Amino acid sequence: MTAGGLSIGSAIKGAHAMLEAAGVPTAERDAVSLAAYALGTTPDAVGTHLDLPVPARFWALVDRRVAREPVELIVGASFFCGRRFLVEPGVFVPKPETEELVARVVERLRTLPTATPRVVDLCTGSGVVAITVAADVPGATVTGVDLSGQACDLAVRNAAAAEVKVAFECCDVATALPELDGLVDVVIANPPYIPVGRAIGMPEVRDHDPALALWGGADGLDVVRAVAATARRLLAPGGWLFLEHGPYQVESVLAMFGDEAWSQVTDHETVDDAVLVAQRTAPERPHHDPNRTLREQ
């Protein structure tokens, strides 16, 4: 106990109330996460330390979260699909809704006729999607692409920490990986898609995620268009694209995939966003007419 008699268990309750009053939507969970970080343990283990005195730095951490700094940046890590990843200022913080994108990708990969699919993750950020896919589908060869050198550096460190083999390329998605044209089984993308000038309600996103990872031009679709074009050339016939985008863009995004190059095009709502799924059309084989003469052929 502290001199004032306050235990970490009581402090968590107080922090929960403070965060809730500040409008933090995950107040209870974040209070536990901050307590775990202050104690040097994991959130799952906090329950065994509730009678310990409050670490001196705990309330300073709570104040930062009250100011709506993302808890992930405060503690330097994020949990995504059950795995712990490093995060840092200047790189997009992984969002829970993207776990739904990954679940669809892994499900599709496990149904492909090949046990060694080639996967490309465009706009990979901290690498959490690429690394999760590589870990869940061990036979996959996975490459992540991002324009940000800082993001690619963090992705490399995350892959090393996860002991998963993923290649990362720092380049523009519009010109990425020409050597893989027509050879990729699955393309994944969670690009910047917020229209410039559109209000962002969450201070954690608005004030802390990098602009490069948020804004997608006047209609939010500049990078989405680049992703669509790159996926079109990268995917082998019968390959699949999984693209996260805004729920307010469903009609516009579906329109990008309305030509003969794509089939089985669907769009699915997630917790906060939407995911387009489309298959690259296999080219039709020339029809052989046995009645044609050699001269006609």
Side-chain angles (χ1 to χ4, degrees), residues 96-104 193 243-251 254 266-277:
E97 56 267 24
T98 304
E99 294 186 359
E100 298 183 46
L101 169 73
V102 173
R104 290 183 181 276
Y193 53 72
L243 169 65
E244 188 169 327
H245 62 88
Y248 44 85
Q249 296 167 321
V250 172
E251 185 175 344
L254 282 172
T266 56
D267 212 285
H268 311 267
E269 290 185 4
T270 66
V271 173
D272 287 316
D273 296 308
V275 172
L276 175 128
V277 181

Side-chain angles (χ1 to χ4, degrees), residues 6-71:
L6 191 65
S7 67
I8 192 65
S10 297
I12 288 172
K13 292 178 181 178
H16 177 195
M18 291 173 61
L19 296 175
E20 199 166 54
V24 174
T26 51
E28 184 175 11
R29 185 187 70 192
D30 291 357
V32 173
S33 295
L34 295 175
Y37 183 63
L39 289 166
T41 188
T42 64
D44 289 343
V46 167
T48 64
H49 301 292
L50 296 180
D51 291 332
L52 291 179
V54 182
R57 62 176 178 165
F58 176 70
W59 294 112
L61 300 175
V62 173
D63 287 342
R64 289 170 65 182
R65 188 67 186 104
V66 165
R68 303 302 291 270
E69 183 177 351
V71 67

Side-chain angles (χ1 to χ4, degrees), residues 123 190-194 211-217 220-224 244 249:
C123 306
N190 180 17
Y193 53 72
I194 302 175
L212 186 65
L214 298 179
W215 306 109
L221 298 176
D222 286 358
V223 185
V224 173
E244 188 169 327
Q249 296 167 321

